[in-house]
Amino acid sequence: MKKDELLLNRKSGWDTLNKKEMKTLDGYTNEYIDFLNECKTERECVKYVEKLAKKQGFKELDKCKTLKPGDKVYYINRDKNILLAVIGNEQLEKGINLIGSHIDSPRIDLKPNPLYESEGFALFKTHYYGGIKKYQWVTIPLEIRGVIIKTNGEKVEISIGKDKDDPIFVITDLLPHLARRQMEKKLSEGIEGEDLNILVGNIPSEDKEANEKVKYNILKILNEKYGITEADFISSELELVPNFEAKLVGFDKSMIAGYGQDDRVCSFASAKAIMDLTEIPNKTCVAMLMDKEEIGSMGNTGMCSNTLDFMLMEMAVKLKQESYNLLNKLYINTKMLSSDVDAAFDPTFAGVSDPKNSSFIGKGICLLKYTGARGKSGSSEACAEYVAYVRKIFEDNNVRYQSGELGKVDEGGGGTIAYIVADKGADVIDCGVPVLSMHSPYEVTSKHDCYMAYKGYKEFLKK
Ligand code: MN
Ligand code: MN
């Protein structure tokens, strides 16, 4: 055995790609950047992926009366989850190859009664969603995207800030000259949750009877444009998201900066991977893009819901494969990649990571045997046998991978949707792209790793 083969390869992954693959990588990157710019909410992701899937021959599951191996179907749950499946040759009870990612990202939501006037300004009250460092969200351009549902059922879709001529929105911060007290506070308290107020207007209405003239003027503008009243905000889902365009980073253009890469980088890779399967797979393959991961995976669009079970049973009936104890047998034989991002090593903040066990940008897709906090608390640790199974797929197919962990022991921690499916009996390992500045308005990944995720997921599904 050569010395090289005896040692764990922890080199940069850029040398694994040949010329042809470099071209594929560039095409993939362009499409991914387009996806990031188009899709800044769960609903937008679902729409985008549905359109792409239809082009690739996927059909709505509800519209298929029967199914057979090779059929491609998708199921959409409440416009916030999309699950794509390719029916394999083997029976469902033998298990499926599953990839699970999430399409919700940290952001700032509007409160149900957001609009108010103060000292000649109209502002929106907000409630942040997911784990954010609040100080990162002030004085940056924000867009509003989402929906308002009127009581008559009409859905008003809102997207303001994306088009060149659109206005943007902003949260103010204190000037340094007057920030003496603020600067003495802890970083977590410098900007507080109730300080995240959005500037939305400053011109008073000419209406003599209106009390709050600036607020009234904004409501008039919204009513004229969207036909909504103040009460309609109560039944809305409006998200403030960064107005940053996704871009290549560095003189060598090796990295990608963009909002929402946790976890749209893995969502995009898994959706593309399942769509690009060219042959009928042995096992039925499912790629699911879930919601609510950032706030605990609860509710009827989160991973804790029965969305996947429902889809699997629908497929079983249409395949005439319903049988005694089917779901339990299926899950016990299922292999899953929980495709979520990992915290990459950052040389500027080296202290929080163990460099020997941290994942690095540019060194490939990352396998996390466990997540959790403190003594691995809350983690569904993958079995060594299963880790070896996934390693072999990657090594046999020239997929550059690395192992990682979520920071130093006792430094912090976190979780993904892995444990939810592992609880049902499946083998699950976290396997995703390393990210710098995770949960910030502008996260950074490596082009190489994004492409490796796509390549790795495809090989995993094919197995
Ligand atoms: Mn995530
Ligand atoms: Mn996250």
Side-chain angles (χ1 to χ4, degrees), residues 102 262 293-294 438-439:
H102 66 94
D262 173 8
E293 194 278 340
E294 295 297 353
M438 195 198 289
H439 284 205

Side-chain angles (χ1 to χ4, degrees), residues 97-112:
N97 287 342
L98 179 63
I99 301 186
S101 56
H102 66 94
I103 44 180
D104 61 316
S105 295
R107 59 174 187 257
I108 295 175
D109 286 340
L110 290 195
K111 287 195 185 193

